[in-house]
Amino acid sequence: MKICSIGLIINGIYNFSNINSNTNNTWSIEDKQVLVKKCLTDAGETTQNYPEYTQEYCDCSIDQIMNSMTKDEYLNISNKSIEEQGNKLMPLIQNCLDKLTKAIENSNSVN
């Protein structure tokens, strides 16, 4: 789950940088919408099976990133290796991932 989640965010970096390459360094509502939509799409089966939890995870992860770094800093991460990207982003999104994992485990134990 951890590798998958960081992959979703990293994949979002690539797509975000291609979609929104303006020079404005401040985050916009549109930026968040693009990244959350990409996160949900890339989550695939998880989004299908747990749409509410995945939405919460994507919102949480993107909020953490947007509150912790500028858009330029975020885009610059995309030029680094996957390992470096993970090292930078995982601490930001770990709490979101933990909540997603717990929600899915709790849901599965009820069923």
Side-chain angles (χ1 to χ4, degrees):
M1 178 76 82
K2 186 181 283 189
I3 293 172
C4 178
S5 66
I6 193 67
L8 299 176
I9 300 300
I10 290 170
N11 195 0
I13 291 174
Y14 173 78
N15 288 290
F16 178 72
S17 63
N18 285 334
I19 292 170
N20 196 359
S21 58
N22 64 35
T23 57
N24 185 354
N25 194 31
T26 59
W27 293 103
S28 70
I29 293 170
E30 180 185 67
D31 295 334
K32 181 176 179 178
Q33 291 170 340
V34 168
L35 289 172
V36 169
K37 182 177 179 180
K38 185 62 180 159
C39 177
L40 291 168
T41 299
D42 289 347
E45 193 173 309
T46 303
T47 299
Q48 291 174 4
N49 294 336
Y50 308 99
E52 183 178 328
Y53 301 144
T54 309
Q55 178 73 50
E56 290 171 6
Y57 163 76
C58 290
D59 285 334
C60 177
S61 295
I62 301 308
D63 284 344
Q64 290 297 103
I65 289 168
M66 292 175 77
N67 289 329
S68 300
M69 61 182 63
T70 66
K71 190 185 325 184
D72 283 346
E73 290 170 329
Y74 180 71
L75 294 173
N76 286 334
I77 291 173
S78 67
N79 295 322
K80 301 190 181 301
S81 71
I82 297 296
E83 182 179 346
E84 288 177 287
Q85 292 175 39
N87 289 340
K88 182 71 174 174
L89 295 176
M90 275 311 294
L92 300 178
I93 66 169
Q94 185 64 54
N95 186 49
C96 305
L97 177 61
D98 292 345
K99 288 178 184 177
L100 172 65
T101 302
K102 184 175 182 175
I104 289 173
E105 287 173 355
N106 288 341
S107 173
N108 289 336
S109 67
V110 171
N111 295 332

